Amino acid sequence: MTRLTGRALRLTVFVGENDTWHHKPLYSEIVHRAHVAGLAGASVFRGVEGFGASSLIHTSRLLSLSEDLPVAVVIVDTEPRVRAFLPQLDELVTEGLVTLDDCEVIRYMGREDTPGETDTKGKRSL
């Protein structure tokens, strides 16, 4: 289990929901690579409305514009570990926005280890 407290760096990657990497959702590839890299964690948040460099507004309110909604992938870890991960994003993100923010981790706790096996998604079964 990764331990993380104190000063950290938050990496946020803003891409489109329909962006892909080798026929797979780009946000999923970013999360997978972050996991393989041993980063403390990654979460994907789907936006309901937004626009980027193209200035085209994507929204879930109008059916015709509900395609390619904004997606944010957020990763928090120590600065050296996040910065070491950035070259992978250079390869993956051809359109989008990547930001870094200093942050402070107050609490980072995983689930307690319990007996049972984990499935392919890491969920435990008894």
Side-chain angles (χ1 to χ4, degrees):
M1 179 172 121
T2 303
R3 301 253 184 234
L4 182 63
T5 57
R7 302 299 305 157
L9 201 59
R10 178 178 50 225
L11 166 66
T12 307
V13 183
F14 298 93
V15 294
E17 181 179 40
N18 292 339
D19 293 345
T20 60
W21 177 259
H22 295 264
H23 310 291
K24 177 179 176 182
L26 177 58
Y27 59 84
S28 180
E29 181 66 18
I30 294 169
V31 169
H32 175 76
R33 288 193 185 197
H35 185 258
V36 169
L39 294 173
S43 297
V44 178
F45 300 94
R46 183 175 185 228
V48 295
E49 188 167 30
F51 71 93
S54 70
S55 294
L56 178 63
I57 293 179
H58 300 273
T59 178
S60 61
R61 291 183 294 128
L62 301 172
L63 186 57
S64 63
L65 296 176
S66 65
E67 300 172 0
D68 203 24
L69 291 170
V71 173
V73 182
V74 179
I75 298 168
V76 176
D77 207 324
T78 63
E79 183 171 354
R81 293 171 64 85
V82 169
R83 290 200 181 275
F85 185 68
L86 292 178
Q88 294 202 49
L89 293 179
D90 286 339
E91 177 187 1
L92 295 172
V93 181
T94 58
E95 294 179 358
L97 174 67
V98 178
T99 64
L100 293 172
D101 301 290
D102 290 321
C103 64
E104 184 176 355
V105 175
I106 304 300
R107 185 174 188 192
Y108 178 68
M109 306 247 334
R111 292 188 177 100
E112 295 293 323
D113 287 340
T114 57
E117 298 179 12
T118 58
D119 65 13
T120 58
K121 295 181 182 177
K123 294 182 180 177
R124 294 194 175 275
S125 62
L126 297 175

